[in-house]
């Protein structure tokens, strides 16, 4: 159960970032900045303002950015295989 509590904020941030990427209203270069801001803000809301909460928020942001990039490259590879 502890795994799900740690995994849920990261998954929520990844879904939110992917949705922002797909709408194309937010330029792709601002998505990592938004990820850091949202990750740290959520961590502060969850744990209070502390250095440990900042690190946890940065971790959420990095995991979210990595997941969005992984999904993007996976889908691009899949599209390339279909075209060939």
């Amino acid at each position: 159960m502890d795994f799900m509590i740690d995994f849920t904020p990261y998954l929520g941030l990844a879904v939110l970032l992917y949705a922002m990427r797909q709408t194309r209203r937010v330029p792709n270069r601002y998505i990592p900045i938004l990820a850091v801001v949202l990750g740290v803000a959520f961590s502060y809301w969850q744990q209070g303002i502390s250095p440990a909460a900042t690190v946890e928020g940065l971790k959420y942001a990095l995991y979210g950015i990595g997941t969005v990039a992984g999904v993007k490259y996976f889908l691009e590879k899949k599209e390339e295989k279909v075209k060939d």
Side-chain angles (χ1 to χ4, degrees):
M1 188 64 158
D2 191 37
F3 171 74
M4 288 304 290
I5 292 171
D6 292 339
F7 187 70
T8 303
Y10 146 70
L11 184 63
L13 182 61
V15 168
L16 185 64
L17 292 174
Y18 188 76
M20 278 192 258
R21 185 181 180 284
Q22 291 298 99
T23 61
R24 302 189 195 281
R25 287 186 180 224
V26 178
N28 285 342
R29 67 181 182 187
Y30 295 126
I31 290 177
I33 296 167
L34 286 172
V36 169
V37 169
L38 291 172
V40 171
F42 179 75
S43 184
Y44 283 170
W45 176 73
Q46 189 178 30
Q47 300 176 11
I49 297 175
S50 69
T54 304
V55 171
E56 190 72 20
L58 293 174
K59 188 167 65 168
Y60 289 153
L62 289 174
Y63 287 161
I65 293 167
T67 300
V68 170
V71 168
K72 173 189 159 196
Y73 294 128
F74 174 76
L75 293 176
E76 284 179 359
K77 283 286 190 181
K78 198 173 185 180
E79 288 177 4
E80 286 178 12
K81 286 184 181 180
V82 171
K83 289 180 183 179
D84 291 336

